[in-house]
Amino acid sequence: MILLNPGPVNVSERVRQALTRPDICHRESEFTDLLQGIREKLIRAFAPNYSSEYVALVLTGSGTAAVEAAIASCVAPGRRLMVIKNGVYSQRISQMAAAHKIQAAELAGEWDQRFSVEPVTVALRQNAAIQAIAVVQHETSTGMVNPVKDIGAVAKKVGRYLLVDGVSSLAGEEIDFNAYNIGLIAGSSGKCIQGFPGVGFVIVRRDLMEQMVNYERRSVYLHLPTYYKEQEEGSIPFTPAVQLYYAFDEALDELLEEGVANRIARYRKAARTIRNYMRAMRMKFYLREPLWSSTLTAFRLPEGVYYDHLHDLLRERGYVIYAGQAQLEESLFRVANMGALTDAQIEGFLKAFEAVLPEVQKLGAERAGEMERLQHDRTEREEREKAEAAVAEAEAASALQAPTGTEASAKPELKTQA
């Protein structure tokens, strides 16, 4: 199956074969070597110029677990977290903050517009309690890349830093940890790194990590200082998914061999191919071009086309796409191009899309006709029931007003004059 959804992604045979390596105990030196190798490769891949300034912490869990660990661990008592909200995953950050009783200052933006950094400047000046700014770099609910660099520059002027959800952007979008003022960034073994889902990680500035050690513990499993202490000593606090770490390690090797910049370029080329083809078919984009990510495009469903028809017919041909989310669930479909995909697979999907579209439109017309018929029947039934109720009401009123039998037989007494 060719996965054109934003994770899980297709992986190479090399990564898949890594799952078959020998079973090992996570308390033995073999796993320590594996873990430390993963941590070192993460820094080499994403912070090569700042290896002494950042530390990578690895945990078993999805990218969501990594994001929540970052949120639960980085805010000092009495401080607040600013959340840039313009999509499903930034909304999730707010939910995480609330779950851990962290006060959040939320700045909402339109889901289809570039986020303006001016409100960030104002909010930071007005609220000294804000410690960090949480932002999603690639908001996969729409395919938007947020202006992380600009937000980071604003934060740096007033001594704050960014907490970035990089789950769908690391190895897919350009990012410079120092230039973007990154304090923490959360990622996943899947997505653009092209491993299997199930291993999360957070890359943290060392000076901030040393501060977090003194913060209150809001979680047992998702407390980053616990991972920091253990992993700096060559251990891990909880039982890891060992085989997934093997595959993650192999995926990182593939990434380093290809080069992060080259992988981003490969993704951009695939996205361009998809967009050009779809544009020629007169598909409408949800976002304007300057906002597009390198790895996902959101398209508006054509008039009369239903997502389930489109999804199911494409799946029959071996291709999986993704629906819209939240309020966009019934109006969008999304096509991701992350993962170990070839040019031939991308071309195959596009030809399949063009081939199924007439059938999808036919099914949509049939459904619309059936819905219209059902609505007509419903309207007729409601009108009939209304009319019957009116008749019944009139009959009841008439019965109340009609004279009784005694009253009808009674005759008025006539008086005669003598």
Side-chain angles (χ1 to χ4, degrees), residues 291-332:
L291 304 176
W292 292 343
S293 75
S294 303
T295 57
L296 183 142
T297 312
F299 299 97
R300 295 186 184 276
L301 282 167
E303 186 71 26
V305 168
Y306 295 89
Y307 173 77
D308 61 330
H309 293 155
L310 182 61
H311 169 273
D312 293 352
L313 287 179
L314 283 170
R315 192 178 188 282
E316 287 176 5
R317 291 173 177 249
Y319 301 96
V320 175
I321 60 172
Y322 230 38
Q325 292 177 285
Q327 71 268 24
L328 303 174
E329 182 178 1
E330 296 182 359
S331 60
L332 296 184

Side-chain angles (χ1 to χ4, degrees), residues 383-397:
E383 289 177 350
R384 183 172 62 253
E385 291 173 350
K386 185 177 180 181
E388 291 171 351
V391 169
E393 185 178 349
E395 290 176 348

Side-chain angles (χ1 to χ4, degrees), residues 19 132 166 264 359:
L19 294 173
I264 293 171
E359 179 65 16

Side-chain angles (χ1 to χ4, degrees), residues 6-7 63-64 67 71 83-96 111 134-143 146 165 167-168 191 296 322-323 325-326 334:
T64 301
V67 174
I71 292 166
V83 182
I84 307 299
K85 289 181 65 175
N86 60 349
V88 167
Y89 296 95
S90 51
Q91 288 181 337
R92 186 176 291 176
I93 288 175
S94 287
Q95 294 168 352
M96 292 172 178
W111 286 29
V135 59
V136 179
Q137 185 178 20
H138 176 203
E139 181 55 77
T140 50
S141 54
T142 60
N146 277 312
D165 175 344
V167 172
S168 293
K191 312 286 186 178
L296 183 142
Y322 230 38
Q325 292 177 285
R334 293 175 292 160

Side-chain angles (χ1 to χ4, degrees), residues 169-224:
S169 62
L170 284 167
E173 303 295 334
E174 294 177 355
I175 188 165
D176 182 303
F177 283 21
N178 187 54
Y180 287 27
N181 189 25
I182 306 297
L184 308 87
I185 185 165
S188 170
S189 54
K191 312 286 186 178
C192 301
I193 296 179
Q194 297 181 182
F196 290 101
V199 184
F201 62 89
V202 185
I203 301 176
V204 193
R205 246 175 47 198
R206 279 191 179 273
D207 61 326
L208 296 177
M209 192 66 250
E210 292 294 342
Q211 294 175 29
M212 289 180 215
V213 171
N214 300 312
Y215 296 169
E216 65 178 320
R217 182 172 179 158
R218 298 185 176 93
S219 172
V220 174
Y221 190 77
L222 300 176
H223 189 56
L224 286 182

Side-chain angles (χ1 to χ4, degrees), residues 73-133:
S73 306
C74 80
V75 182
R79 303 296 296 275
R80 304 182 72 182
L81 182 71
M82 178 186 288
V83 182
I84 307 299
K85 289 181 65 175
N86 60 349
V88 167
Y89 296 95
S90 51
Q91 288 181 337
R92 186 176 291 176
I93 288 175
S94 287
Q95 294 168 352
M96 292 172 178
H100 293 284
K101 305 297 187 293
I102 297 170
Q103 288 192 324
E106 299 177 350
L107 290 181
E110 297 296 329
W111 286 29
D112 61 348
Q113 302 293 324
R114 177 181 171 84
F115 187 83
S116 172
V117 299
E118 183 57 33
V120 178
T121 303
V122 174
L124 289 175
R125 287 174 179 169
Q126 293 178 344
N127 196 335
I130 294 173
Q131 182 174 356
I133 302 171

